[in-house]
Amino acid sequence: MHDTTTLLIELGAVILGLGLIGRLALRFGLSPIPLYLLAGLAFGQGGLLPLKASEEFVGVGAEIGVILLLLLLGLEYSASELVTSLKTQYPSGMVDFVLNAVPGAVAALLLGWGPVGAVALAGVTWISSSGVIAKVLTDLGRLGNRETPVILSVLVIEDLSMAVYLPLLTALVAGAGLAGGSLTLLIALGTVGIVLYLALRHGRLISRAVSSDNPEMLLLVVLGMTLLVAGVAQELQVSAAVGAFLVGIALSGEVAEGAERLLTPLRDLFAAVFFVFFGLSTDPTEIPPVLVPALLLAAVTTVSKIGTGWYAARRAGIGSRGRLRAGGTLVARGEFSIVIAGLAVGTEPRIGPIATAYVLILVIVGPLAARYTEPVVRRLNERRTGGSAARAAHAGSPHGAPPHSVEPEPAGGAATATDAPVPPPGPSDATPPGPDASAARLPEDEPDAGTAPEDEPGLSTHRGGKPLP
């Protein structure tokens, strides 16, 4: 069979298969990322049916996928929003780095990977998945919650940190050494600073130069400029992904919104190809030996991300329930963990299997953590508080009989005194006495004392004040 014919057949089968498994994932309310990775494992080296003719094309498509992922991420934020997030949430960003990057670095050193592997695995465990988290917030109807801007601020700081982290990792992978790595880091910092300055001061002029009423022309100009800047950035060892991210930041207003609308389908297509390519380059037989380390690392960094969200939400004056929701929402890892592992896999091949297993675990656990962390912890607190009260009452009553003042646990999982103080009933909402008085429920998002209501609408960090899709 002719090579071109084989290429078309393989590409058609891959893209059609991605569409079908993506629909399957959406039917069950899951992210399609783990299924894309599994598809790549099935058709890569050591898989069921290795693809040969389309491997090179898929590799180029994967590079474009990474570039479009970062470009669209940059389009989500304006320069002023990035600067504001840095000023207000930089302590949370530092806590996030310490709690989540350090476990990855320690694990790599314990596995004997060396400094490059430690830096790479630290990034894999550090960065949450913006795409998965945005979808989870939308699906759970939490875009208006008070903790949502805190979550998005943490994600903004992580994403902006990539503009420094990725060039440093690229230099280390290339073997540039301490001097070369320091020079690359200085170039990256200087480039980020210049782009933020231009976007803040002259963003309208840049957008006006790129703007076009013709969607075709706008698509060609933005895509061409992004690929050109990404190529130049890669040549300077600053990382093509960072170049694309900075192009997205530099664009604003209607140009950014129009480019985002036009490029989103391309981003989704090539991002799926990227995940498949990462799976293709990973031998599935190498995953079972690293499942235990991946599970341990996933367990540790799940707890550490919940701690990050708790700390960030507490700084914003949000009650305990909102803190738990913020922490659970940040658990998911996904696209950027795979991007980081993909950069390092040439130097440290062992990072591919463990990163794949780690992302597969947390991209599934993440949405579950977002949904159930707060109610599970609340139930445990209710049980512990109820048990302590019962023991105290039992010890203080004659012959161990419970006093009349102890009432049974409220029906339906009512909030307890550990969640919020019960406000005195007003004339219009007083609960009439009767057998069902103990089952009166508090609002679901009652805050801690001294905080504002947790479901008070908050500002999103999406440019223009619009919620993330």
Side-chain angles (χ1 to χ4, degrees):
M1 188 181 297
H2 196 274
D3 288 345
T4 304
T5 304
T6 306
L7 173 64
L8 292 175
I9 292 175
E10 287 188 1
L11 280 178
V14 167
I15 295 173
L16 176 60
L18 292 178
L20 294 177
I21 63 177
R23 291 179 62 179
L24 179 65
L26 294 177
R27 181 180 294 273
F28 290 98
L30 299 173
S31 167
I33 292 175
L35 296 183
Y36 294 157
L37 290 172
L38 290 174
L41 291 172
F43 297 102
Q45 49 181 318
L48 301 175
L49 185 63
L51 300 178
K52 298 295 184 182
S54 58
E55 186 173 358
E56 184 177 351
F57 182 89
V58 171
V60 176
E63 292 286 342
I64 296 175
V66 174
I67 290 170
L68 291 177
L69 275 171
L70 271 294
L71 170 64
L72 269 291
L73 185 66
L75 290 173
E76 292 286 350
Y77 308 123
S78 67
S80 59
E81 288 166 347
L82 291 174
V83 172
T84 301
S85 294
L86 282 175
K87 288 180 178 178
T88 58
Q89 286 292 343
Y90 73 90
S92 301
M94 295 172 64
V95 169
D96 182 26
F97 174 79
V98 172
L99 291 182
N100 297 285
V102 171
V106 171
L109 293 175
L110 291 175
L111 292 170
W113 288 5
V116 176
V119 172
L121 194 57
V124 170
T125 59
W126 173 24
I127 304 298
S128 298
S129 171
S130 301
V132 173
I133 289 172
K135 187 177 187 308
V136 167
L137 289 172
T138 303
D139 292 345
L140 296 181
R142 295 181 182 174
L143 289 174
N145 282 24
R146 271 199 69 203
E147 73 271 8
T148 297
V150 175
I151 295 169
L152 297 178
S153 293
V154 173
L155 294 177
V156 168
I157 293 176
E158 288 184 351
D159 296 337
L160 187 58
S161 300
M162 288 294 96
V164 177
Y165 171 82
L166 289 179
L168 179 61
L169 178 62
T170 302
L172 292 175
V173 168
L178 181 61
S182 300
L183 179 60
T184 300
L185 185 60
L186 289 175
I187 293 174
L189 289 173
T191 304
V192 172
I194 292 171
V195 169
L196 287 177
Y197 173 80
L198 292 175
L200 283 170
R201 297 291 185 180
H202 308 290
R204 291 184 179 180
L205 294 177
I206 297 173
S207 298
R208 191 179 303 167
V210 176
S211 178
S212 174
D213 294 332
N214 188 315
E216 180 184 351
M217 297 301 105
L218 178 62
L219 174 63
L220 291 174
V221 170
V222 173
L223 182 59
M225 181 173 63
T226 302
L227 294 176
L228 177 62
V229 172
V232 172
Q234 186 75 20
E235 183 66 25
L236 296 174
Q237 292 190 344
V238 177
S239 170
V242 171
F245 180 66
L246 295 178
V247 170
I249 293 174
L251 300 178
S252 61
E254 294 182 0
V255 173
E257 294 176 4
E260 183 178 6
R261 186 171 57 253
L262 292 170
L263 289 167
T264 295
L266 282 177
R267 187 267 319 265
D268 294 340
L269 169 62
F270 284 103
V273 171
F274 165 72
F275 293 121
V276 170
F277 178 75
F278 188 84
L280 289 173
S281 60
T282 303
D283 190 341
T285 60
E286 296 178 354
I287 291 181
V290 299
L291 270 180
V292 172
L295 283 168
L296 291 174
L297 199 55
V300 170
T301 53
T302 293
V303 176
S304 62
K305 271 293 182 184
I306 293 174
T308 298
W310 175 280
Y311 174 81
R314 183 181 179 184
R315 289 189 72 252
I318 295 171
S320 59
R321 295 187 181 184
R323 299 173 198 170
L324 289 169
R325 287 196 296 265
T329 304
L330 287 169
V331 167
R333 308 313 199 271
E335 61 272 20
F336 296 113
S337 297
I338 298 299
V339 169
I340 293 166
L343 288 174
V345 75
T347 301
E348 181 50 74
R350 292 173 292 181
I351 197 174
I354 197 169
T356 301
Y358 178 79
V359 170
L360 284 173
I361 294 167
L362 287 187
V363 83
I364 295 172
V365 170
L368 299 177
R371 185 184 296 270
Y372 295 113
T373 296
E374 183 269 327
V376 167
V377 173
R378 175 161 49 88
R379 294 287 187 182
L380 292 175
N381 285 337
E382 287 175 358
R383 288 188 178 184
R384 185 174 64 250
T385 305
S388 300
R391 285 193 297 271
H394 182 79
S397 62
H399 310 296
H404 295 291
S405 60
V406 178
E407 296 184 1
E409 182 180 353
T416 66
T418 59
D419 295 322
V422 179
S428 62
D429 60 354
T431 304
D436 295 331
S438 63
R441 298 193 50 147
L442 292 175
E444 178 65 22
D445 290 318
E446 186 75 24
D448 288 347
T451 63
E454 293 191 16
D455 278 341
E456 177 185 331
L459 292 178
S460 166
T461 56
H462 186 281
R463 67 172 74 241
K466 299 178 182 177
L468 283 170

